[in-house]
Amino acid sequence: MKIVRLQSTDSTNRVAMEMAADGAAHGTAIISATQTKGRGRLGKVWQSPAGKGLYTSVILRPVLKAEDFPYLTFVAGLAVADAIKQLYNLQPGLKWPNDIYFFMKKCGGILSESSALTEDPSCRFAVVGIGLNVNTTINDFPAEVATRATSLFIESGREMSVDEVFTKIHAQLLLEVQSFEHHGFTPVIKRWRELDCMFGKRLAWVAVNGKVVEGISLGPDNLGRLHIRDDSGKVHEVLSGDVQLGTS
């Protein structure tokens, strides 16, 4: 299984997408010591201090229906959470749809991308990008995020090899994908809900009409769609978008 190690790149996802398009095999991974243009969801920048975090992208060629590819984000979240528990004996929470949290502070995120799902099934692929704060200290974070971010070192007091963390997450991801192929999304979302750190919390997001809506999180349904109940009692279905903690 090919592991490509880089000192620096703009984005491991970009490299992985290009390699996958050229035929790179299932499980191929790119890991970089730093990224100059690390990406999060919705075009956000992911901070990548050199040598302190895990910045990796894994190429997947799962045997799935096209409509099941978006669920790989949930599968990856479980893989990262399980790997952290095994390595550190810590239980992270998951924030819909793709973030790793400890006590309402972000420790990592996942960015999943895929080829055109209209392609022949044998040619389809996905790339799962994982950014995780491993040995980052509080002083490594920019001032604007320092109160909202954390790392595995901060939470555990243990400094661990980034490569060791990568190896465990990579192996766990491939196991979780294999399980998903065989058992479907139902057991995935059941386990995911058990780690949902935002369930019952007040959240806010921008609706399709451009208005900010706040309400209580009811968690994701069986298809992974988040539901939030606003103050009038109306339940909103959130398909995508940036969901944040509410202000009131």
Side-chain angles (χ1 to χ4, degrees):
M1 195 173 297
K2 188 172 184 179
I3 310 296
V4 178
R5 300 176 186 277
L6 305 172
Q7 280 302 306
S8 179
T9 187
D10 55 349
S11 163
T12 58
N13 260 36
R14 181 195 62 75
V15 176
M17 288 291 287
E18 291 181 359
M19 289 180 61
D22 287 339
H26 177 76
T28 299
I30 295 85
I31 179 171
S32 184
T34 188
Q35 296 181 117
T36 57
K37 295 181 181 179
R39 291 179 292 140
R41 287 180 71 249
L42 306 176
K44 290 188 173 181
V45 174
W46 176 261
Q47 300 290 339
S48 308
K52 296 295 186 81
L54 172 62
Y55 320 115
T56 186
S57 297
V58 182
I59 295 168
L60 302 173
R61 296 187 183 275
V63 181
L64 296 172
K65 296 177 181 178
E67 58 266 29
D68 289 335
F69 268 67
Y71 295 143
L72 288 169
T73 296
F74 294 90
V75 173
L78 290 179
V80 174
D82 284 354
I84 290 171
K85 188 172 183 180
Q86 292 175 49
L87 288 169
Y88 291 88
N89 197 28
L90 295 173
Q91 182 60 75
L94 298 174
K95 173 180 174 285
W96 186 91
N98 66 326
D99 288 335
I100 312 298
Y101 267 64
F102 284 99
F103 306 107
M104 309 313 288
K105 291 186 176 184
K106 185 173 178 177
C107 186
I110 296 161
L111 177 63
S112 299
E113 301 180 275
S114 69
S115 60
L117 298 180
T118 53
E119 287 187 13
D120 183 279
S122 64
C123 298
R124 292 175 188 153
F125 64 82
V127 165
V128 171
I130 299 167
L132 190 64
N133 300 325
V134 178
N135 294 320
T136 327
T137 68
I138 195 68
N139 293 327
D140 292 320
F141 291 120
E144 63 270 20
V145 302
T147 60
R148 296 179 282 113
T150 190
S151 71
L152 296 174
F153 170 75
I154 292 169
E155 296 300 326
S156 69
R158 292 172 56 201
E159 188 169 334
M160 189 172 286
S161 160
V162 172
D163 201 62
E164 184 176 354
V165 175
F166 161 75
T167 300
K168 175 63 75 173
I169 288 176
H170 181 250
Q172 195 65 31
L173 176 60
L174 296 183
L175 284 174
E176 293 287 356
V177 169
Q178 186 178 51
S179 177
F180 178 40
E181 288 175 324
H182 287 94
H183 303 293
F185 189 55
T186 299
V188 170
I189 196 62
K190 181 179 179 182
R191 289 169 56 206
W192 199 99
R193 288 190 187 110
E194 293 172 356
L195 300 179
D196 183 0
C197 62
M198 297 295 169
F199 180 80
K201 298 286 193 301
R202 189 170 183 84
L203 302 179
W205 91 104
V206 179
V208 177
N209 59 12
K211 292 184 178 180
V212 176
V213 180
E214 288 201 17
I216 301 300
S217 174
L218 305 177
D221 64 14
N222 291 338
L223 296 176
R225 300 170 299 196
L226 181 65
H227 287 77
I228 295 177
R229 185 178 59 237
D230 69 20
D231 294 337
S232 73
K234 180 180 178 181
V235 176
H236 300 258
E237 183 181 281
V238 185
L239 298 174
S240 64
D242 194 18
V243 179
Q244 303 291 339
L245 283 171
T247 56
S248 56

